Amino acid sequence: MLENKNQSRTGIENLGEFGLIETLTKQVEINNDSTLLGIGDDAAIIHTKQPNVITTDMLVEGIHFDLSYVPLKHLGYKAIMVNLSDVYAMNAQASQVTVSIAVSNRFPLEALEELYQGIHLACKTYGVDLIGGDTTSSTSGLIISVTAIGHQEESKIVKRSGAHDGDLLVLTGDIGAAYMGLQILEREKAVFKANPNNQPDMEPYSYLLERQLKPEARKDIPLLLEQLDVVPTSMIDLSDGLSSEILHLSKNSDVGIKLYEEKIPLDPTVINVCEEFNLDSTTIALSGGEDYELLFTISQEDYPKIKANPNLTVIGHVVDKSFGNHLITRGGEQIEIKAMGWNSFQE
Ligand code: ADP
Ligand code: MG
């Protein structure tokens, strides 16, 4: 994983901008009826019957990713996932993306092709059409900006702002694994630097590495909620860590939130590796980012509809704003939740 096996190098400067765009996008397929025109004109054309949700995220080399341990194919996949996750967090379905890249000529064509393999795989797997983008050069690193477009009936679009006193706080999946995956990668990078012949056994960490390198956005959750006939009162995706997302929900909804430590769903691997690293697993769950699970609130009367579902865990409830935001520990202590999430402006 740590070495670049790709030997052939075609300089992108020899291809020209149009040749490059054509090479990277020739395998694009249009699968959504709402895409009337894709790549190749001055603009794409889409026509959806429902209102659209639109979101953009930028990934910058050295800030959001480190190419010494992130394979380009995974990076392309992840760049799409982080955007689709924001669409699903509005309880919408994603249908189109655009991808813009700024790239220095230290990247050969083969590297960009790898990046686009991940992008195409993500689009195919999630049923979204790549309908455009922009390509430009950069003096140093790689920058990827993705815009995702989705749609949903207006009455079912869920914002961060609708939670009410008494609502239940629900989390999908389990958390903390992506952050611990990053810890493993950083440790192995240091080991590799010290001894390039060392072949680490990564098998015990495969779940963590997958969650870090190949995250999956929760496309299934808006569909599941539709099936269960539940419209959450508020929702957000977990890009920065549970505590900071809880604070976003409570601030936007003007409420307080109680979170129960014993309810936080953790994979056993996360618990084991936290022990190995001498880290507190609750702290990791609260502050580790990039899980791309969904956090939402539902009214209490919807509880019977969700309670048997293994994808969903009730981890707390909404209280009046005057109570603030607190973690209730296993010992019954109340600890104020502060923003501890990953933040790219923090050192
Ligand atoms: P314009 O000069 O009109 O902006 P471009 O030459 O930048 O057009 O792009 C030509 C076509 O290729 C457009 O449809 C654009 O959306 C698409 N495109 C450009 N760069 C990318 C990219 N990196 N990924 C996907 N599509 C791209
Ligand atoms: Mg352009």
Side-chain angles (χ1 to χ4, degrees), residues 172-217:
T172 67
D174 57 75
I175 59 174
Y179 180 83
M180 291 316 293
L182 185 63
Q183 300 313 301
I184 298 287
L185 287 169
E186 284 183 342
R187 182 176 74 184
E188 296 312 323
K189 182 183 172 186
V191 172
F192 182 78
K193 264 190 184 157
N195 179 7
N197 294 322
N198 185 38
Q199 282 293 333
D201 176 16
M202 300 295 239
E203 176 56 31
Y205 309 115
S206 57
Y207 178 64
L208 307 181
L209 295 175
E210 212 172 291
R211 294 282 283 176
Q212 169 58 223
L213 293 173
K214 196 167 175 285
E216 303 288 354

mmCIF file of all heavy atoms in Angstrom, residues 172-217:
data_model
loop_
_atom_site.group_PDB
_atom_site.id
_atom_site.type_symbol
_atom_site.label_atom_id
_atom_site.label_comp_id
_atom_site.label_asym_id
_atom_site.label_seq_id
_atom_site.Cartn_x
_atom_site.Cartn_y
_atom_site.Cartn_z
ATOM 1 N N THR A 172 -26.524 6.536 12.953
ATOM 2 C CA THR A 172 -26.415 5.350 12.092
ATOM 3 C C THR A 172 -25.036 4.714 12.310
ATOM 4 O O THR A 172 -24.071 5.395 12.665
ATOM 5 C CB THR A 172 -26.550 5.719 10.602
ATOM 6 O OG1 THR A 172 -25.416 6.519 10.215
ATOM 7 C CG2 THR A 172 -27.836 6.498 10.333
ATOM 8 N N GLY A 173 -24.953 3.404 12.099
ATOM 9 C CA GLY A 173 -23.659 2.706 12.082
ATOM 10 C C GLY A 173 -22.884 2.806 13.384
ATOM 11 O O GLY A 173 -23.463 2.885 14.464
ATOM 12 N N ASP A 174 -21.567 2.797 13.270
ATOM 13 C CA ASP A 174 -20.703 2.959 14.434
ATOM 14 C C ASP A 174 -19.630 3.994 14.105
ATOM 15 O O ASP A 174 -19.395 4.289 12.938
ATOM 16 C CB ASP A 174 -20.069 1.620 14.830
ATOM 17 C CG ASP A 174 -19.294 0.991 13.693
ATOM 18 O OD1 ASP A 174 -18.183 1.462 13.379
ATOM 19 O OD2 ASP A 174 -19.805 0.019 13.082
ATOM 20 N N ILE A 175 -19.002 4.549 15.129
ATOM 21 C CA ILE A 175 -18.100 5.688 14.891
ATOM 22 C C ILE A 175 -16.719 5.487 15.542
ATOM 23 O O ILE A 175 -16.527 4.597 16.364
ATOM 24 C CB ILE A 175 -18.739 7.016 15.366
ATOM 25 C CG1 ILE A 175 -19.078 6.952 16.854
ATOM 26 C CG2 ILE A 175 -19.991 7.317 14.545
ATOM 27 C CD1 ILE A 175 -19.574 8.292 17.404
ATOM 28 N N GLY A 176 -15.788 6.342 15.130
ATOM 29 C CA GLY A 176 -14.438 6.302 15.697
ATOM 30 C C GLY A 176 -13.447 5.502 14.858
ATOM 31 O O GLY A 176 -12.232 5.647 15.013
ATOM 32 N N ALA A 177 -13.969 4.660 13.955
ATOM 33 C CA ALA A 177 -13.089 3.753 13.209
ATOM 34 C C ALA A 177 -12.212 4.502 12.193
ATOM 35 O O ALA A 177 -11.034 4.178 12.035
ATOM 36 C CB ALA A 177 -13.924 2.684 12.504
ATOM 37 N N ALA A 178 -12.768 5.510 11.527
ATOM 38 C CA ALA A 178 -11.987 6.226 10.506
ATOM 39 C C ALA A 178 -10.800 6.937 11.154
ATOM 40 O O ALA A 178 -9.678 6.930 10.625
ATOM 41 C CB ALA A 178 -12.871 7.231 9.774
ATOM 42 N N TYR A 179 -11.027 7.503 12.323
ATOM 43 C CA TYR A 179 -9.950 8.203 13.017
ATOM 44 C C TYR A 179 -8.859 7.223 13.444
ATOM 45 O O TYR A 179 -7.665 7.495 13.280
ATOM 46 C CB TYR A 179 -10.503 8.944 14.238
ATOM 47 C CG TYR A 179 -9.439 9.691 14.996
ATOM 48 C CD1 TYR A 179 -9.033 10.963 14.591
ATOM 49 C CD2 TYR A 179 -8.798 9.112 16.097
ATOM 50 C CE1 TYR A 179 -8.037 11.641 15.271
ATOM 51 C CE2 TYR A 179 -7.806 9.783 16.781
ATOM 52 C CZ TYR A 179 -7.431 11.049 16.373
ATOM 53 O OH TYR A 179 -6.436 11.715 17.035
ATOM 54 N N MET A 180 -9.260 6.073 13.966
ATOM 55 C CA MET A 180 -8.255 5.090 14.380
ATOM 56 C C MET A 180 -7.525 4.508 13.164
ATOM 57 O O MET A 180 -6.346 4.175 13.249
ATOM 58 C CB MET A 180 -8.883 3.987 15.240
ATOM 59 C CG MET A 180 -9.353 4.468 16.616
ATOM 60 S SD MET A 180 -8.191 5.572 17.476
ATOM 61 C CE MET A 180 -6.811 4.465 17.799
ATOM 62 N N GLY A 181 -8.219 4.438 12.029
ATOM 63 C CA GLY A 181 -7.557 4.019 10.788
ATOM 64 C C GLY A 181 -6.441 4.981 10.419
ATOM 65 O O GLY A 181 -5.348 4.571 9.999
ATOM 66 N N LEU A 182 -6.690 6.256 10.600
ATOM 67 C CA LEU A 182 -5.674 7.269 10.320
ATOM 68 C C LEU A 182 -4.480 7.134 11.276
ATOM 69 O O LEU A 182 -3.321 7.269 10.866
ATOM 70 C CB LEU A 182 -6.295 8.670 10.436
ATOM 71 C CG LEU A 182 -5.402 9.844 10.069
ATOM 72 C CD1 LEU A 182 -4.995 9.773 8.599
ATOM 73 C CD2 LEU A 182 -6.120 11.169 10.333
ATOM 74 N N GLN A 183 -4.776 6.831 12.543
ATOM 75 C CA GLN A 183 -3.682 6.623 13.512
ATOM 76 C C GLN A 183 -2.792 5.463 13.080
ATOM 77 O O GLN A 183 -1.564 5.533 13.173
ATOM 78 C CB GLN A 183 -4.224 6.340 14.925
ATOM 79 C CG GLN A 183 -5.075 7.452 15.514
ATOM 80 C CD GLN A 183 -4.437 8.804 15.359
ATOM 81 O OE1 GLN A 183 -3.333 9.044 15.836
ATOM 82 N NE2 GLN A 183 -5.108 9.696 14.649
ATOM 83 N N ILE A 184 -3.429 4.388 12.606
ATOM 84 C CA ILE A 184 -2.661 3.220 12.132
ATOM 85 C C ILE A 184 -1.793 3.622 10.938
ATOM 86 O O ILE A 184 -0.598 3.315 10.880
ATOM 87 C CB ILE A 184 -3.612 2.075 11.709
ATOM 88 C CG1 ILE A 184 -4.448 1.589 12.895
ATOM 89 C CG2 ILE A 184 -2.847 0.921 11.056
ATOM 90 C CD1 ILE A 184 -3.714 0.790 13.917
ATOM 91 N N LEU A 185 -2.377 4.334 9.986
ATOM 92 C CA LEU A 185 -1.620 4.731 8.790
ATOM 93 C C LEU A 185 -0.444 5.618 9.159
ATOM 94 O O LEU A 185 0.656 5.473 8.608
ATOM 95 C CB LEU A 185 -2.535 5.467 7.805
ATOM 96 C CG LEU A 185 -3.544 4.589 7.064
ATOM 97 C CD1 LEU A 185 -4.563 5.455 6.332
ATOM 98 C CD2 LEU A 185 -2.828 3.667 6.079
ATOM 99 N N GLU A 186 -0.659 6.530 10.099
ATOM 100 C CA GLU A 186 0.437 7.427 10.485
ATOM 101 C C GLU A 186 1.541 6.671 11.209
ATOM 102 O O GLU A 186 2.719 6.924 10.988
ATOM 103 C CB GLU A 186 -0.103 8.605 11.300
ATOM 104 C CG GLU A 186 -0.794 9.579 10.347
ATOM 105 C CD GLU A 186 -1.331 10.842 10.975
ATOM 106 O OE1 GLU A 186 -1.495 10.869 12.210
ATOM 107 O OE2 GLU A 186 -1.597 11.788 10.217
ATOM 108 N N ARG A 187 1.129 5.725 12.041
ATOM 109 C CA ARG A 187 2.137 4.917 12.732
ATOM 110 C C ARG A 187 2.960 4.106 11.728
ATOM 111 O O ARG A 187 4.181 4.070 11.789
ATOM 112 C CB ARG A 187 1.461 3.971 13.732
ATOM 113 C CG ARG A 187 2.461 3.138 14.517
ATOM 114 C CD ARG A 187 1.787 2.279 15.558
ATOM 115 N NE ARG A 187 1.103 1.143 14.954
ATOM 116 C CZ ARG A 187 0.360 0.278 15.646
ATOM 117 N NH1 ARG A 187 0.183 0.450 16.949
ATOM 118 N NH2 ARG A 187 -0.216 -0.738 15.041
ATOM 119 N N GLU A 188 2.276 3.494 10.758
ATOM 120 C CA GLU A 188 2.986 2.660 9.782
ATOM 121 C C GLU A 188 3.873 3.493 8.863
ATOM 122 O O GLU A 188 4.913 3.042 8.419
ATOM 123 C CB GLU A 188 2.006 1.815 8.971
ATOM 124 C CG GLU A 188 1.233 0.786 9.794
ATOM 125 C CD GLU A 188 2.111 -0.051 10.724
ATOM 126 O OE1 GLU A 188 3.240 -0.398 10.352
ATOM 127 O OE2 GLU A 188 1.651 -0.333 11.856
ATOM 128 N N LYS A 189 3.444 4.728 8.601
ATOM 129 C CA LYS A 189 4.272 5.611 7.770
ATOM 130 C C LYS A 189 5.600 5.899 8.484
ATOM 131 O O LYS A 189 6.665 5.872 7.869
ATOM 132 C CB LYS A 189 3.527 6.923 7.504
ATOM 133 C CG LYS A 189 4.266 7.901 6.612
ATOM 134 C CD LYS A 189 3.482 9.196 6.481
ATOM 135 C CE LYS A 189 4.282 10.268 5.763
ATOM 136 N NZ LYS A 189 3.555 11.559 5.776
ATOM 137 N N ALA A 190 5.520 6.144 9.775
ATOM 138 C CA ALA A 190 6.729 6.412 10.557
ATOM 139 C C ALA A 190 7.622 5.164 10.600
ATOM 140 O O ALA A 190 8.843 5.262 10.441
ATOM 141 C CB ALA A 190 6.346 6.848 11.974
ATOM 142 N N VAL A 191 7.003 4.006 10.787
ATOM 143 C CA VAL A 191 7.763 2.755 10.803
ATOM 144 C C VAL A 191 8.440 2.522 9.457
ATOM 145 O O VAL A 191 9.605 2.157 9.372
ATOM 146 C CB VAL A 191 6.832 1.547 11.148
ATOM 147 C CG1 VAL A 191 7.559 0.227 10.970
ATOM 148 C CG2 VAL A 191 6.295 1.684 12.568
ATOM 149 N N PHE A 192 7.693 2.792 8.395
ATOM 150 C CA PHE A 192 8.197 2.585 7.037
ATOM 151 C C PHE A 192 9.383 3.499 6.740
ATOM 152 O O PHE A 192 10.369 3.091 6.117
ATOM 153 C CB PHE A 192 7.072 2.846 6.035
ATOM 154 C CG PHE A 192 7.451 2.608 4.603
ATOM 155 C CD1 PHE A 192 7.511 1.315 4.080
ATOM 156 C CD2 PHE A 192 7.749 3.671 3.756
ATOM 157 C CE1 PHE A 192 7.854 1.098 2.752
ATOM 158 C CE2 PHE A 192 8.094 3.463 2.424
ATOM 159 C CZ PHE A 192 8.144 2.169 1.927
ATOM 160 N N LYS A 193 9.299 4.753 7.234
ATOM 161 C CA LYS A 193 10.402 5.702 7.048
ATOM 162 C C LYS A 193 11.670 5.196 7.720
ATOM 163 O O LYS A 193 12.763 5.291 7.176
ATOM 164 C CB LYS A 193 10.021 7.059 7.660
ATOM 165 C CG LYS A 193 9.454 8.021 6.635
ATOM 166 C CD LYS A 193 9.326 9.399 7.246
ATOM 167 C CE LYS A 193 8.678 10.366 6.273
ATOM 168 N NZ LYS A 193 8.059 11.486 7.004
ATOM 169 N N ALA A 194 11.485 4.641 8.919
ATOM 170 C CA ALA A 194 12.631 4.143 9.677
ATOM 171 C C ALA A 194 13.204 2.872 9.041
ATOM 172 O O ALA A 194 14.405 2.661 9.035
ATOM 173 C CB ALA A 194 12.219 3.864 11.128
ATOM 174 N N ASN A 195 12.341 2.031 8.510
ATOM 175 C CA ASN A 195 12.793 0.781 7.912
ATOM 176 C C ASN A 195 11.905 0.380 6.735
ATOM 177 O O ASN A 195 10.912 -0.316 6.908
ATOM 178 C CB ASN A 195 12.811 -0.328 8.984
ATOM 179 C CG ASN A 195 13.248 -1.662 8.397
ATOM 180 O OD1 ASN A 195 13.671 -1.731 7.226
ATOM 181 N ND2 ASN A 195 13.137 -2.708 9.185
ATOM 182 N N PRO A 196 12.289 0.803 5.519
ATOM 183 C CA PRO A 196 11.447 0.553 4.334
ATOM 184 C C PRO A 196 11.228 -0.927 4.028
ATOM 185 O O PRO A 196 10.324 -1.262 3.283
ATOM 186 C CB PRO A 196 12.232 1.217 3.206
ATOM 187 C CG PRO A 196 13.144 2.176 3.863
ATOM 188 C CD PRO A 196 13.477 1.592 5.195
ATOM 189 N N ASN A 197 12.033 -1.815 4.624
ATOM 190 C CA ASN A 197 11.858 -3.245 4.349
ATOM 191 C C ASN A 197 10.820 -3.902 5.245
ATOM 192 O O ASN A 197 10.430 -5.041 5.031
ATOM 193 C CB ASN A 197 13.189 -3.991 4.504
ATOM 194 C CG ASN A 197 14.164 -3.536 3.435
ATOM 195 O OD1 ASN A 197 13.779 -3.295 2.295
ATOM 196 N ND2 ASN A 197 15.417 -3.371 3.826
ATOM 197 N N ASN A 198 10.397 -3.154 6.245
ATOM 198 C CA ASN A 198 9.433 -3.704 7.192
ATOM 199 C C ASN A 198 8.073 -3.877 6.521
ATOM 200 O O ASN A 198 7.526 -2.943 5.946
ATOM 201 C CB ASN A 198 9.325 -2.721 8.363
ATOM 202 C CG ASN A 198 8.447 -3.261 9.458
ATOM 203 O OD1 ASN A 198 8.478 -4.457 9.743
ATOM 204 N ND2 ASN A 198 7.674 -2.394 10.061
ATOM 205 N N GLN A 199 7.554 -5.105 6.541
ATOM 206 C CA GLN A 199 6.228 -5.366 5.968
ATOM 207 C C GLN A 199 5.207 -5.502 7.087
ATOM 208 O O GLN A 199 5.123 -6.534 7.723
ATOM 209 C CB GLN A 199 6.262 -6.651 5.124
ATOM 210 C CG GLN A 199 6.895 -6.490 3.746
ATOM 211 C CD GLN A 199 6.071 -5.609 2.822
ATOM 212 O OE1 GLN A 199 4.863 -5.517 2.961
ATOM 213 N NE2 GLN A 199 6.721 -4.928 1.890
ATOM 214 N N PRO A 200 4.444 -4.464 7.361
ATOM 215 C CA PRO A 200 3.524 -4.537 8.494
ATOM 216 C C PRO A 200 2.353 -5.480 8.216
ATOM 217 O O PRO A 200 1.932 -5.628 7.072
ATOM 218 C CB PRO A 200 3.027 -3.098 8.630
ATOM 219 C CG PRO A 200 3.173 -2.518 7.256
ATOM 220 C CD PRO A 200 4.341 -3.199 6.621
ATOM 221 N N ASP A 201 1.841 -6.116 9.262
ATOM 222 C CA ASP A 201 0.647 -6.944 9.133
ATOM 223 C C ASP A 201 -0.567 -6.060 9.432
ATOM 224 O O ASP A 201 -0.838 -5.720 10.580
ATOM 225 C CB ASP A 201 0.716 -8.122 10.116
ATOM 226 C CG ASP A 201 -0.574 -8.938 10.073
ATOM 227 O OD1 ASP A 201 -1.345 -8.776 9.100
ATOM 228 O OD2 ASP A 201 -0.806 -9.724 11.010
ATOM 229 N N MET A 202 -1.276 -5.676 8.382
ATOM 230 C CA MET A 202 -2.389 -4.748 8.532
ATOM 231 C C MET A 202 -3.731 -5.458 8.696
ATOM 232 O O MET A 202 -4.737 -4.819 8.898
ATOM 233 C CB MET A 202 -2.444 -3.825 7.309
ATOM 234 C CG MET A 202 -1.193 -2.999 7.116
ATOM 235 S SD MET A 202 -0.945 -1.827 8.462
ATOM 236 C CE MET A 202 -0.951 -0.299 7.507
ATOM 237 N N GLU A 203 -3.711 -6.779 8.589
ATOM 238 C CA GLU A 203 -4.958 -7.547 8.619
ATOM 239 C C GLU A 203 -5.864 -7.228 9.830
ATOM 240 O O GLU A 203 -7.059 -7.010 9.667
ATOM 241 C CB GLU A 203 -4.615 -9.049 8.533
ATOM 242 C CG GLU A 203 -5.777 -10.004 8.655
ATOM 243 C CD GLU A 203 -6.903 -9.776 7.662
ATOM 244 O OE1 GLU A 203 -6.618 -9.324 6.539
ATOM 245 O OE2 GLU A 203 -8.065 -10.045 8.027
ATOM 246 N N PRO A 204 -5.298 -7.174 11.037
ATOM 247 C CA PRO A 204 -6.172 -6.906 12.195
ATOM 248 C C PRO A 204 -6.855 -5.536 12.124
ATOM 249 O O PRO A 204 -7.812 -5.288 12.841
ATOM 250 C CB PRO A 204 -5.215 -6.949 13.393
ATOM 251 C CG PRO A 204 -3.948 -7.529 12.899
ATOM 252 C CD PRO A 204 -3.893 -7.357 11.427
ATOM 253 N N TYR A 205 -6.319 -4.659 11.282
ATOM 254 C CA TYR A 205 -6.835 -3.288 11.235
ATOM 255 C C TYR A 205 -7.687 -3.024 10.002
ATOM 256 O O TYR A 205 -8.009 -1.874 9.698
ATOM 257 C CB TYR A 205 -5.667 -2.288 11.255
ATOM 258 C CG TYR A 205 -4.684 -2.541 12.365
ATOM 259 C CD1 TYR A 205 -3.366 -2.917 12.091
ATOM 260 C CD2 TYR A 205 -5.077 -2.412 13.701
ATOM 261 C CE1 TYR A 205 -2.468 -3.151 13.115
ATOM 262 C CE2 TYR A 205 -4.178 -2.653 14.724
ATOM 263 C CZ TYR A 205 -2.883 -3.020 14.422
ATOM 264 O OH TYR A 205 -1.995 -3.259 15.432
ATOM 265 N N SER A 206 -8.032 -4.082 9.258
ATOM 266 C CA SER A 206 -8.650 -3.855 7.947
ATOM 267 C C SER A 206 -9.945 -3.033 8.030
ATOM 268 O O SER A 206 -10.179 -2.170 7.191
ATOM 269 C CB SER A 206 -8.890 -5.177 7.225
ATOM 270 O OG SER A 206 -9.689 -6.002 8.022
ATOM 271 N N TYR A 207 -10.763 -3.270 9.067
ATOM 272 C CA TYR A 207 -12.012 -2.490 9.173
ATOM 273 C C TYR A 207 -11.702 -1.003 9.341
ATOM 274 O O TYR A 207 -12.304 -0.142 8.690
ATOM 275 C CB TYR A 207 -12.856 -2.993 10.354
ATOM 276 C CG TYR A 207 -14.127 -2.191 10.541
ATOM 277 C CD1 TYR A 207 -15.120 -2.188 9.563
ATOM 278 C CD2 TYR A 207 -14.327 -1.411 11.685
ATOM 279 C CE1 TYR A 207 -16.283 -1.438 9.721
ATOM 280 C CE2 TYR A 207 -15.489 -0.662 11.853
ATOM 281 C CZ TYR A 207 -16.459 -0.681 10.868
ATOM 282 O OH TYR A 207 -17.600 0.066 11.023
ATOM 283 N N LEU A 208 -10.704 -0.687 10.178
ATOM 284 C CA LEU A 208 -10.356 0.706 10.445
ATOM 285 C C LEU A 208 -9.793 1.374 9.186
ATOM 286 O O LEU A 208 -10.125 2.513 8.863
ATOM 287 C CB LEU A 208 -9.326 0.793 11.571
ATOM 288 C CG LEU A 208 -9.675 0.069 12.871
ATOM 289 C CD1 LEU A 208 -8.574 0.256 13.893
ATOM 290 C CD2 LEU A 208 -11.004 0.569 13.424
ATOM 291 N N LEU A 209 -8.927 0.637 8.476
ATOM 292 C CA LEU A 209 -8.305 1.203 7.276
ATOM 293 C C LEU A 209 -9.358 1.446 6.196
ATOM 294 O O LEU A 209 -9.325 2.453 5.488
ATOM 295 C CB LEU A 209 -7.210 0.274 6.750
ATOM 296 C CG LEU A 209 -6.021 0.116 7.704
ATOM 297 C CD1 LEU A 209 -5.039 -0.911 7.156
ATOM 298 C CD2 LEU A 209 -5.326 1.454 7.918
ATOM 299 N N GLU A 210 -10.306 0.519 6.097
ATOM 300 C CA GLU A 210 -11.358 0.681 5.111
ATOM 301 C C GLU A 210 -12.224 1.892 5.424
ATOM 302 O O GLU A 210 -12.593 2.656 4.542
ATOM 303 C CB GLU A 210 -12.215 -0.580 5.096
ATOM 304 C CG GLU A 210 -12.762 -0.865 3.724
ATOM 305 C CD GLU A 210 -13.440 -2.214 3.689
ATOM 306 O OE1 GLU A 210 -12.716 -3.227 3.800
ATOM 307 O OE2 GLU A 210 -14.676 -2.234 3.572
ATOM 308 N N ARG A 211 -12.521 2.070 6.696
ATOM 309 C CA ARG A 211 -13.346 3.220 7.097
ATOM 310 C C ARG A 211 -12.614 4.532 6.826
ATOM 311 O O ARG A 211 -13.237 5.542 6.532
ATOM 312 C CB ARG A 211 -13.700 3.123 8.577
ATOM 313 C CG ARG A 211 -14.602 1.958 8.908
ATOM 314 C CD ARG A 211 -16.045 2.219 8.557
ATOM 315 N NE ARG A 211 -16.704 3.085 9.513
ATOM 316 C CZ ARG A 211 -17.942 3.533 9.388
ATOM 317 N NH1 ARG A 211 -18.668 3.198 8.336
ATOM 318 N NH2 ARG A 211 -18.472 4.330 10.288
ATOM 319 N N GLN A 212 -11.278 4.531 6.951
ATOM 320 C CA GLN A 212 -10.508 5.742 6.670
ATOM 321 C C GLN A 212 -10.296 5.944 5.174
ATOM 322 O O GLN A 212 -10.492 7.030 4.657
ATOM 323 C CB GLN A 212 -9.150 5.675 7.389
ATOM 324 C CG GLN A 212 -8.144 6.744 6.985
ATOM 325 C CD GLN A 212 -8.619 8.173 7.186
ATOM 326 O OE1 GLN A 212 -8.421 9.044 6.350
ATOM 327 N NE2 GLN A 212 -9.269 8.440 8.316
ATOM 328 N N LEU A 213 -9.898 4.884 4.474
ATOM 329 C CA LEU A 213 -9.488 5.049 3.079
ATOM 330 C C LEU A 213 -10.662 4.944 2.108
ATOM 331 O O LEU A 213 -10.647 5.553 1.044
ATOM 332 C CB LEU A 213 -8.442 3.987 2.707
ATOM 333 C CG LEU A 213 -7.092 4.123 3.406
ATOM 334 C CD1 LEU A 213 -6.221 2.925 3.073
ATOM 335 C CD2 LEU A 213 -6.396 5.415 2.991
ATOM 336 N N LYS A 214 -11.638 4.127 2.443
ATOM 337 C CA LYS A 214 -12.746 3.932 1.506
ATOM 338 C C LYS A 214 -14.088 4.084 2.231
ATOM 339 O O LYS A 214 -14.853 3.134 2.370
ATOM 340 C CB LYS A 214 -12.624 2.548 0.843
ATOM 341 C CG LYS A 214 -13.486 2.415 -0.398
ATOM 342 C CD LYS A 214 -13.106 1.177 -1.192
ATOM 343 C CE LYS A 214 -14.025 0.949 -2.385
ATOM 344 N NZ LYS A 214 -15.355 0.436 -2.022
ATOM 345 N N PRO A 215 -14.354 5.296 2.712
ATOM 346 C CA PRO A 215 -15.610 5.498 3.436
ATOM 347 C C PRO A 215 -16.793 5.358 2.481
ATOM 348 O O PRO A 215 -16.665 5.606 1.290
ATOM 349 C CB PRO A 215 -15.498 6.941 3.931
ATOM 350 C CG PRO A 215 -14.565 7.615 2.982
ATOM 351 C CD PRO A 215 -13.593 6.554 2.555
ATOM 352 N N GLU A 216 -17.913 4.914 3.026
ATOM 353 C CA GLU A 216 -19.145 4.798 2.240
ATOM 354 C C GLU A 216 -20.173 5.758 2.817
ATOM 355 O O GLU A 216 -20.424 5.756 4.023
ATOM 356 C CB GLU A 216 -19.693 3.359 2.304
ATOM 357 C CG GLU A 216 -18.719 2.277 1.839
ATOM 358 C CD GLU A 216 -18.467 2.253 0.337
ATOM 359 O OE1 GLU A 216 -19.126 2.999 -0.400
ATOM 360 O OE2 GLU A 216 -17.579 1.479 -0.089
ATOM 361 N N ALA A 217 -20.762 6.567 1.942
ATOM 362 C CA ALA A 217 -21.806 7.494 2.398
ATOM 363 C C ALA A 217 -23.110 6.722 2.575
ATOM 364 O O ALA A 217 -23.328 5.698 1.926
ATOM 365 C CB ALA A 217 -21.975 8.616 1.381
#
